[in-house]
Amino acid sequence: MFGTGGGLFEYRASLLAGHGFTVLALAYYAVEDFPKDMKELRLEYFEEAVQYLKNYSQVKGRGVGLLGFYKGGDLCLSMASHLKDITATVTLNGSMANVGSTLYYKGMTIPPLGSDPKRIEMTKIGFADIVDALNNPLEEPNQRSLIPIEKAESCFLFLIGLDDHNWKSEFYANKVAKLLQAYGKKKPKIICYPATRHYIEPPYFPVCLVSFHTLVGKLVIWEGEVSAHSMAQIDAWKQL
């Protein structure tokens, strides 16, 4: 599952399928008859997708794995926390809180983590740096947006770019790790890549320097260093 850009992107699913995985590339807004925005999402939709894949004839074993990027990362954490049959979860530069949309599930509501546009800085050439824009999810009243990851039975892998300027991915991953261990769960594997930005693509894909952020409404910088980021993309693919 991808992030706030919406739509359906199948290239990573296709690459995994080429290695023998049964993969479902899951869109959740801004494609065909889906909503044009993601102001509201319902976890029942994602639950249906899990069961569809689990019951598919080519899927073996007792559960399925999740792979999420950016907004897709926190959706994966929400799925692992609330749904059955999730045995492995990989996120790339994800959040520990629900971001960008209100999430509903069986009478439960998780509001999106708030932000402060005043904390957005503009570069000299007019791009936005949003790394400090989101509120701290560990402070009140922002804790209502925290994903109850302590409920999850999945194993976890967090792939982190240490120069991610979308949000504080390393901070989130380390806090999730401490929370899981506090509840007696297995420590997740966290792999951090120096000088690596937000969009960690498959190996040899172009490095994204700047792109339009749907929720911010501006061109946003992702920082990082091209050579280091390119090497991170090679290793991250092997790890996931």
Side-chain angles (χ1 to χ4, degrees), residues 168-181:
K168 302 180 185 298
S169 299
E170 183 188 17
F171 172 80
Y172 297 152
N174 287 328
K175 291 299 181 182
V176 168
K178 291 181 179 179
L179 180 63
L180 286 170
Q181 292 177 92

Side-chain angles (χ1 to χ4, degrees), residues 30-188:
V31 60
E32 296 180 356
D33 58 347
F34 284 70
K36 294 182 179 181
D37 59 49
M38 61 168 198
K39 292 181 180 178
E40 297 183 356
L41 296 174
R42 298 191 177 276
L43 205 57
E44 286 87 350
Y45 165 73
F46 301 93
E47 184 174 38
E48 183 179 349
V50 169
Q51 292 308 311
Y52 171 83
L53 189 60
K54 184 173 179 286
N55 294 330
Y56 189 70
S57 61
Q58 297 297 316
V59 174
K60 311 299 180 186
R62 63 184 181 87
V64 302
L66 305 175
L67 178 56
F69 319 99
Y70 333 122
K71 171 59 186 176
D74 74 66
L75 282 171
C76 284
L77 293 188
S78 292
M79 292 169 70
S81 300
H82 293 100
L83 307 183
K84 298 179 180 179
D85 303 321
I86 307 300
T87 53
T89 304
V90 181
T91 73
L92 282 79
N93 286 331
S95 168
M96 67 184 298
N98 181 51
V99 178
S101 63
T102 302
L103 185 66
Y104 298 97
Y105 183 60
K106 294 182 177 180
M108 174 198 70
T109 301
I110 301 181
L113 182 64
S115 62
D116 185 352
K118 295 179 180 178
R119 294 197 292 263
I120 297 176
E121 296 185 3
M122 302 302 296
T123 68
K124 293 181 179 179
I125 55 176
F127 298 140
D129 186 342
I130 63 172
V131 67
D132 294 318
L134 279 178
N135 296 338
N136 186 340
L138 300 179
E139 298 176 351
E140 288 290 357
N142 308 311
Q143 292 180 354
R144 295 177 58 226
S145 300
L146 282 172
I147 299 166
I149 195 67
E150 67 275 5
K151 297 180 179 180
E153 299 297 333
S154 172
C155 60
F156 292 94
L157 168 62
F158 299 116
L159 300 172
I160 305 296
L162 291 181
D163 202 17
D164 178 7
H165 271 238
N166 185 68
W167 50 39
K168 302 180 185 298
S169 299
E170 183 188 17
F171 172 80
Y172 297 152
N174 287 328
K175 291 299 181 182
V176 168
K178 291 181 179 179
L179 180 63
L180 286 170
Q181 292 177 92
Y183 279 83
K185 304 295 178 69
K186 182 179 179 181
K187 181 180 180 180

